[in-house]
Amino acid sequence: MNIKQTADRHIANTYARYPLALVKGQGCTVWDDQGRAYVDFLAGIAVCNLGHSHPRLVETLTEQARTLWHVSNLFYTQPQAELAVWLTEHSFADRVFFANSGAEANEAAIKLARRYFKENGSPERYRIVSMQQSFHGRTMATLSATGQEKVRKGYDPILEGFDFVPFNDIEDLSCAIGPATCAVMLEPIQGEGGVVIPERDYLAQVRQLCDEKGCLLIFDEVQTGVGRTGKLFAYEHFGVRPDILTLAKALGNGLPIGAMLATERAAAAFVPGAHASTFGGTPLVTAVALEVLKLLTEEGILDQVEEKGAYLRARLADLKKKHPVIQSVRGKGLLIGAQLDVPGASIVNACMERGYLINCVQEKILRFAPPLIVSRDEIDGLIECIDEVLSVKCKV
Ligand SMILES: *Cc1c(COP(=O)(O)O)cnc(C)c1O
């Protein structure tokens, strides 16, 4: 069977896929069906933070598969309870709702924010202020919360009740929060929007505005959470605590799991029957997620993220001096973007041909999000590869 031809014929045509069929992964390397190896600087888009097929995760997964995969949320299970304890002990939150993806975690956050005000005597407050260039998911509510036209196109009428302001502009945000606003929702660092870092004090000012105006603050940490930026949660860099926070991507290192974390005060609006998910927090995925978090924090992996990220950024900054096509390099931990002054697609493809997987967001921004276990040698290899690609391109 030719995987590509068969897939192109029978799978919904929603992805512009790279011409690669991947069959195996180990650590930071994946292999295609021709046996070619690629160093994975994308990690399933910030998902496989501990790399592919980590032996301890394989062990946890198979052990739990032999024990109990799934029961309804009508029953208690130990892995789910333990994961909730771990997450609340290591964060601002008191309670967790488990879902299966980032979009679903955000759905839960949006529903909770609205319900909170219904329960607390302000039913007129239902609007959410979100950011331009944000990304919150592909369900109807989360695409309605997403500040990118290309994500919303074709789905009118989208869900009512979302207002958009530019990221990093506190004045505009202040004007946008009105008497009907229930929450401000944002990514502490915008991922799909092009690795956009908040300006100093911006998030603290957002927190202050929310407190003054009595609305909830939701951080979408689906991409930035679980160690990606060098802290367990990106909000820790900025000394700002949200009322609600969402996780997904790296939480299961590739198993589908999402989570919405909330303070006791906010979470109180979720009562029996208010929200639910058949698969959310199944013992199989929560057992693996708990092991992911333990590995990340107990094996010193998290401690090395800032240093590795600084090294990759410094090496990219060296490349910038040599290749003016790179305009700037930015990021936090191992979520890194390189702004180009030309479209990045051909560079991504040329890197792929040389055995390195990266991707491009917002057309001109190369994004790097390798497994957090990436080595210096692997970083050096990528830099050499990009250097070569840009040298060839400049000669043409
Ligand atoms: C990927 C992403 C989502 C959507 O997650 P899915 O699991 O694809 O639904 C939401 N928010 C952010 C910030 C993301 O990066």
Side-chain angles (χ1 to χ4, degrees):
M1 180 178 82
N2 180 316
I3 305 172
K4 288 167 227 161
Q5 275 174 8
T6 310
D8 283 343
R9 201 169 155 158
H10 297 288
I11 297 176
N13 194 23
T14 57
Y15 302 100
R17 293 186 206 269
Y18 298 118
L20 281 194
L22 300 175
V23 296
K24 183 177 136 93
Q26 189 72 62
C28 297
T29 305
V30 291
W31 284 266
D32 70 12
D33 59 351
Q34 310 297 310
R36 281 205 59 192
Y38 301 83
V39 187
D40 187 2
F41 271 79
L42 189 55
I45 312 189
V47 167
C48 301
N49 279 8
L50 301 174
H52 298 276
S53 294
H54 193 291
R56 260 177 63 183
L57 297 181
V58 172
E59 200 179 304
T60 305
L61 177 68
T62 48
E63 176 64 28
Q64 188 62 44
R66 273 193 290 268
T67 310
L68 185 70
W69 292 23
H70 174 85
V71 290
S72 164
N73 275 310
L74 296 171
F75 303 96
Y76 295 99
T77 67
Q78 178 138 354
Q80 189 182 112
E82 277 185 39
L83 179 59
V85 168
W86 199 100
L87 286 169
T88 53
E89 278 181 351
H90 290 81
S91 74
F92 74 98
D94 304 301
R95 287 184 185 271
V96 185
F97 176 84
F98 289 109
N100 312 289
S101 65
E104 279 178 82
N106 284 333
E107 285 274 345
I110 292 165
K111 287 179 75 173
L112 181 62
R114 285 191 172 184
R115 202 166 207 283
Y116 173 82
F117 285 96
K118 299 278 186 298
E119 295 283 303
N120 285 286
S122 303
E124 75 285 359
R125 300 185 77 152
Y126 71 95
R127 304 190 69 83
I128 293 179
V129 182
S130 173
M131 300 291 144
Q132 291 167 10
Q133 298 296 101
S134 59
F135 183 77
H136 298 298
R138 300 288 194 151
T139 61
M140 278 310 293
T142 57
L143 73 80
S144 303
T146 291
Q148 298 191 56
E149 186 50 37
K150 65 172 193 224
V151 173
R152 305 207 299 257
K153 195 172 163 228
Y155 299 113
D156 283 336
I158 62 169
L159 195 69
E160 206 260 329
F162 293 91
D163 303 302
F164 296 95
V165 296
F167 191 73
N168 268 331
D169 188 331
I170 200 73
E171 300 297 319
D172 267 26
L173 179 62
S174 179
C175 297
I177 300 176
T181 304
C182 70
V184 173
M185 178 172 186
L186 76 171
E187 303 151 82
I189 294 171
Q190 291 190 327
E192 304 304 303
V195 191
V196 186
I197 311 286
E199 269 157 33
R200 233 175 83 86
D201 295 341
Y202 174 65
L203 295 176
Q205 290 171 324
V206 173
R207 175 74 266 180
Q208 201 183 342
L209 264 183
C210 287
D211 290 341
E212 280 166 24
K213 309 216 177 190
C215 49
L216 297 172
L217 176 57
I218 303 170
F219 280 164
D220 177 345
E221 292 227 27
V222 169
Q223 187 158 153
T224 55
V226 196
R228 173 55 51 191
T229 69
K231 304 259 190 217
L232 204 45
F233 308 104
Y235 76 79
E236 297 170 51
H237 290 291
F238 307 102
V240 175
R241 294 166 151 230
D243 302 290
I244 299 172
L245 178 144
T246 55
L247 296 174
K249 289 199 164 85
L251 186 54
N253 206 63
L255 283 204
I257 179 170
M260 183 209 64
L261 284 61
T263 61
E264 187 67 48
R265 184 174 69 101
F270 267 180
V271 296
H275 195 37
S277 166
T278 295
F279 293 128
T282 188
L284 191 69
V285 296
T286 47
V288 172
L290 185 62
E291 191 65 13
V292 166
L293 293 166
K294 285 184 179 166
L295 269 170
L296 182 67
T297 51
E298 289 169 14
E299 304 287 307
I301 297 167
L302 182 60
D303 298 334
Q304 293 173 28
V305 174
E306 291 202 69
E307 187 194 314
K308 287 177 181 177
Y311 181 66
L312 175 48
R313 282 200 303 281
R315 299 281 339 248
L316 286 167
D318 287 342
L319 281 186
K320 171 176 173 279
K321 286 183 206 139
K322 188 170 165 193
H323 303 286
V325 64
I326 302 177
Q327 300 203 303
S328 67
V329 177
R330 56 187 183 243
K332 200 107 186 140
L334 282 165
L335 182 59
I336 295 173
Q339 175 82 51
L340 308 173
D341 64 2
V342 295
S346 63
I347 294 169
V348 170
N349 288 330
C351 286
M352 192 180 301
E353 281 162 21
R354 288 166 172 78
Y356 287 85
L357 303 185
I358 58 172
N359 94 324
C360 179
V361 287
Q362 306 294 325
E363 266 177 62
K364 293 181 176 176
I365 300 159
L366 300 181
R367 176 175 48 184
F368 309 94
L372 307 182
I373 57 168
V374 68
S375 70
R376 251 171 200 251
D377 282 352
E378 285 161 333
I379 292 174
D380 290 340
L382 172 78
I383 295 297
E384 213 171 285
C385 167
I386 297 174
D387 188 15
E388 192 184 298
V389 165
L390 294 180
S391 303
V392 172
K393 283 211 174 300
C394 294
K395 263 189 244 145
V396 177

